[in-house]
């Protein structure tokens, strides 16, 4: 699975959009980009995933560049409850890592009033 | 309510004792996972099971053991061979094969004195 690189930390004002970048320059053609988040002392929570098209759900939007080497998770109207560690993960269902997710250190997003 | 439960939330043990952490899910998921998280770090996979009576080692299996006798249960034993057992332990489950949305339990914080 592709190695992903994320900034260590980011800040965002409440009510504004939070844009969290992720680089995955070695991603393979059939490898998905998954995003999870972990609020302090809780288990991680799935947010969204995509292959090459942009995706949107009730939690967030995922924008994947055309060359698929990077992506951005967008929280359109961040609230204080969105303060968490956000993990960007590359996952290949057909590979030897079937079922396994590799969590890096993620981005600590702090939403402030 | 459907979900995944872990017990206890906090656990204290003396060095040299084995301890078993409980993980139960009523989501009818085939696959279950155990992760370990150290302060300020991402999650690391200990063991996973894709079907009853079968399981595979993850990235840091040494000093741990598991069993999968029932679909809904995947207990983890931290043995005395685990050199640094103090950590936050997270259990997860999901339907496979292609979409890897894992549902996490609330975690067990183990402290070995």
């Amino acid at each position: 699975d592709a190695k992903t690189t994320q900034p260590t930390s980011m800040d965002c004002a409440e009510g504004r959009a939070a844009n969290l970048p992720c680089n995955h320059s070695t991603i393979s053609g059939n490898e998905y980009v998954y995003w999870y988040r972990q609020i302090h002392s809780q288990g991680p929570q799935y947010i969204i995933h995509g292959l090459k098209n942009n995706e949107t759900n009730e939690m967030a939007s995922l924008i994947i560049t055309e060359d698929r080497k990077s992506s951005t998770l967008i929280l359109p109207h961040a609230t204080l409850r969105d303060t968490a560690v956000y993990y960007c993960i590359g996952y290949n269902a057909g590979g030897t890592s079937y079922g396994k997710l590799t969590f890096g250190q993620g981005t600590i997003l702090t939403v402030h009033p | 309510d459907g979900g995944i439960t872990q017990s206890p939330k906090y656990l204290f043990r003396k060095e040299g004792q084995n301890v078993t952490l409980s993980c139960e899910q009523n989501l009818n998921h085939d696959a279950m996972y155990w992760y370990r998280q150290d302060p300020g770090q991402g999650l690391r996979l200990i063991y996973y099971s894709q079907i009853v009576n079968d399981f595979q080692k993850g990235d840091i299996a040494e000093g741990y053991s598991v069993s999968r006798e029932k679909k809904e249960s995947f207990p983890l034993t931290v043995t005395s061979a685990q050199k640094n057992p103090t950590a936050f332990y997270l259990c997860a489950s999901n339907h496979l094969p292609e979409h890897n949305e894992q549902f996490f339990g609330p975690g067990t914080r183990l402290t070995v004195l």
Side-chain angles (χ1 to χ4, degrees), chain B residues 1-93:
Chain B
D1 283 333
I4 182 165
T5 58
Q6 293 184 242
S7 61
K9 191 167 178 64
Y10 298 95
L11 190 55
F12 296 87
R13 278 294 181 268
K14 291 183 179 179
E15 195 171 340
Q17 289 181 333
N18 290 356
V19 59
T20 297
L21 311 184
S22 165
C23 177
E24 304 277 330
Q25 54 98 1
N26 61 4
L27 300 167
N28 199 33
H29 285 167
D30 297 305
M32 297 186 74
Y33 308 80
W34 273 107
Y35 295 88
R36 168 187 172 132
Q37 188 173 33
D38 294 287
Q41 303 298 312
L43 283 67
R44 291 185 291 168
L45 183 65
I46 305 172
Y47 268 99
Y48 64 106
S49 166
Q50 296 178 357
I51 195 169
V52 174
N53 292 324
D54 188 43
F55 47 83
Q56 286 79 40
K57 292 181 180 180
D59 301 316
I60 55 164
E62 185 175 350
Y64 299 97
S65 66
V66 293
S67 63
R68 187 87 188 275
E69 297 176 1
K70 299 185 295 182
K71 187 175 184 178
E72 57 271 20
S73 178
F74 191 41
L76 172 76
T77 297
V78 184
T79 75
S80 55
Q82 168 51 233
K83 304 244 186 296
N84 297 297
T86 294
F88 188 44
Y89 290 88
L90 287 155
C91 180
S93 70

Side-chain angles (χ1 to χ4, degrees), chain A residues 2-19:
Chain A
K3 177 177 166 53
T4 60
T5 305
Q6 300 176 251
T8 302
S9 63
M10 294 184 65
D11 288 334
C12 178
E14 190 177 19
R16 306 297 293 267
N19 297 293

Side-chain angles (χ1 to χ4, degrees), chain A residues 61-74:
Chain A
S61 295
L62 174 60
I63 309 297
I64 303 174
T65 58
E66 194 167 340
D67 63 8
R68 302 212 324 121
K69 291 186 177 182
S70 66
S71 60
T72 301
L73 178 75
I74 301 172

Side-chain angles (χ1 to χ4, degrees), chain A:
Chain A
D1 296 332
K3 177 177 166 53
T4 60
T5 305
Q6 300 176 251
T8 302
S9 63
M10 294 184 65
D11 288 334
C12 178
E14 190 177 19
R16 306 297 293 267
N19 297 293
L20 292 95
C22 179
N23 286 323
H24 32 76
S25 58
T26 61
I27 197 167
S28 62
N30 54 358
E31 197 167 345
Y32 288 80
V33 179
Y34 274 75
W35 283 84
Y36 280 74
R37 74 178 183 184
Q38 185 178 23
I39 295 169
H40 183 62
S41 293
Q42 296 182 19
Q45 175 191 24
Y46 164 83
I47 303 173
I48 198 167
H49 74 286
L51 185 61
K52 47 187 171 183
N53 297 324
N54 297 338
E55 302 287 345
T56 296
N57 63 20
E58 64 278 3
M59 289 183 69
S61 295
L62 174 60
I63 309 297
I64 303 174
T65 58
E66 194 167 340
D67 63 8
R68 302 212 324 121
K69 291 186 177 182
S70 66
S71 60
T72 301
L73 178 75
I74 301 172
L75 307 178
H77 306 287
T79 71
L80 299 179
R81 287 175 294 181
D82 292 321
T83 293
V85 180
Y86 287 77
Y87 297 100
C88 170
I89 302 166
Y91 174 66
N92 183 350
T96 56
S97 300
Y98 180 66
K100 295 164 63 176
L101 294 175
T102 300
F103 289 80
Q105 293 194 316
T107 296
I108 301 170
L109 174 69
T110 303
V111 181
H112 50 86

